[in-house]
Amino acid sequence: MSQRNYNTRSTAQSTQSSTTNTSSVKRSTRNASQASKTNTKNTSPTSQRTQQNDDDEYMTESQATQSKDLTAEEENQLVGSVIRYLLAVDRTKHVIQRPQLVKNVFGTYNKHYRKIMTKVKATLTQVFGFNLVEFETGKYILTNAITTNPPHLSCPESEKPRRILLILVLAHIFMLDGICKEELLWDFLRKLTIIPGDGFKTQMFGDVHKIITVEFVKQQYLKMPKIGSSDPPAYEFHWGVRAEEEVSKRHLLEFVSKMYNDRPIKSWPKQFNALNESECQSIESEDDN
């Protein structure tokens, strides 16, 4: 970007004849008087006008990079970079936040964030079978766009124990109208002999308390709000946003039905109504997209 070129008279030029100097001063005085009349209505100081002109003229390299439009090739490359980053981070199933994406992928192309994320969302669904779910503005999770049944068997063999534990926990919360106090959940798992009576560590699942209260919560399968002001604090469990997006309530109720010797799912009216409502919302969401 070019800078102003200021031409300074040399010392020799400044020692011209007095006649020349006098006429120059007169011309300068007339010009100054005319400029003063022209700018009478302008109340801003000269220094502020100069600074404003400088601000308008100069633009940092970063701003220039952000303001330019992306070519089709650059756009596709950025979409691919975002998708690769999302898939890599999703291995932990933790929440992905906008500042992470801007810092690690977008960089100076942050201006194009919304446009690129719209294309990323469509590509993830159409090509990779994932839904990119945004919640709480700028927070994302990837969920499986392909409905699977039964849910506790649709995973690699090494992940099945934790998947079974998750489905049992979600099913219990669902059957309790969506809210389960912490102690009630531990009692339920003890009755199923998932955890021993005197602790939480098992050979099959590992530290069940940590898996449920830390990992499942971080992965947004569960929410664990504090209730009351007791000491020690008490908590309750709700379904998290990933569970709402990824787990079919119908499949879950059918899973529970098998545990009760194929009892008809309509025999649980609250849960049956909840799954119907969930399916209607899902259809409306697909129509909006």
Side-chain angles (χ1 to χ4, degrees):
M1 188 179 297
S2 62
Q3 298 181 347
R4 292 188 178 86
N5 295 319
Y6 295 96
N7 297 321
T8 307
R9 292 185 176 88
S10 65
T11 304
Q13 288 174 324
S14 68
T15 57
Q16 292 175 343
S17 65
S18 59
T19 301
T20 303
N21 287 336
T22 301
S23 61
S24 177
V25 170
K26 288 180 179 179
R27 286 195 301 271
S28 298
T29 302
R30 285 197 302 271
N31 292 339
S33 176
Q34 291 173 355
S36 176
K37 291 178 181 179
T38 303
N39 297 322
T40 299
K41 295 182 180 181
N42 189 348
T43 59
S44 301
T46 302
S47 61
Q48 290 181 352
R49 292 199 304 271
T50 303
Q51 181 63 47
Q52 181 62 47
N53 290 337
D54 289 345
D55 290 343
D56 291 342
E57 181 176 351
Y58 296 108
M59 181 181 292
T60 65
E61 183 178 349
S62 175
Q63 289 172 326
T65 301
Q66 286 194 30
S67 64
K68 74 173 186 178
D69 292 331
L70 294 174
T71 65
E73 183 179 356
E74 288 173 332
E75 202 170 90
N76 289 335
Q77 288 177 348
L78 191 52
V79 168
S81 296
V82 174
I83 289 174
R84 286 193 295 273
Y85 181 81
L86 291 172
L87 293 175
V89 175
D90 187 62
R91 291 172 186 171
T92 63
K93 293 191 179 294
H94 291 176
V95 175
I96 305 161
Q97 301 195 40
R98 176 169 178 163
Q100 293 174 264
L101 289 167
V102 172
K103 177 182 177 181
N104 296 303
V105 187
F106 280 89
T108 57
Y109 293 106
N110 188 34
K111 172 189 173 183
H112 307 281
Y113 184 86
R114 282 295 168 192
K115 180 181 180 181
I116 294 299
M117 291 305 290
T118 298
K119 292 194 171 186
V120 165
K121 183 175 182 179
T123 304
L124 280 169
T125 301
Q126 296 166 7
V127 179
F128 294 91
F130 286 103
N131 287 326
L132 181 65
V133 180
E134 182 178 10
F135 66 103
E136 295 181 13
T137 308
K139 293 184 178 181
Y140 302 92
I141 58 171
L142 286 180
T143 63
N144 195 345
I146 303 171
T147 303
T148 55
N149 185 23
H152 59 294
L153 298 179
S154 56
C155 62
E157 195 68 31
S158 60
E159 297 178 15
K160 280 186 180 179
R162 291 194 180 193
R163 187 70 176 177
I164 291 171
L165 177 63
L166 174 64
I167 294 303
L168 288 172
V169 170
L170 292 176
H172 189 59
I173 296 171
F174 179 55
M175 299 307 291
L176 292 178
D177 299 333
I179 300 174
C180 178
K181 291 184 178 180
E182 184 178 9
E183 282 306 315
L184 292 179
L185 179 61
W186 306 140
D187 288 342
F188 168 71
L189 294 177
R190 288 189 185 101
K191 289 177 181 177
L192 294 179
T193 67
I194 298 293
I195 57 175
D198 57 350
F200 295 95
K201 293 184 178 181
T202 69
Q203 185 175 358
M204 182 177 183
F205 299 102
D207 190 337
V208 172
H209 188 276
K210 181 180 179 181
I211 292 171
I212 292 174
T213 62
V214 178
E215 293 186 26
F216 288 167
V217 172
K218 279 186 176 181
Q219 293 169 353
Q220 295 294 312
Y221 282 117
L222 297 175
K223 292 188 291 186
M224 189 179 171
K226 183 179 178 181
I227 53 175
S229 56
S230 60
D231 186 17
Y235 298 89
E236 63 186 16
F237 291 100
H238 304 237
W239 278 34
V241 62
R242 187 185 294 276
E244 294 285 359
E245 292 288 336
E246 202 170 76
V247 179
S248 163
K249 289 183 172 67
R250 179 174 295 277
H251 292 164
L252 206 60
L253 193 55
E254 289 171 350
F255 170 71
V256 173
S257 170
K258 292 185 182 300
M259 296 174 65
Y260 283 84
N261 297 318
D262 291 325
R263 175 177 164 178
I265 60 175
K266 290 184 179 181
S267 63
W268 289 285
K270 286 186 179 181
Q271 288 75 17
F272 186 73
N273 289 336
L275 76 84
N276 283 329
E277 183 179 342
S278 176
E279 289 174 348
C280 288
Q281 290 176 351
S282 179
I283 292 172
E284 290 174 0
S285 178
E286 289 176 1
D287 291 341
D288 290 340
N289 294 331

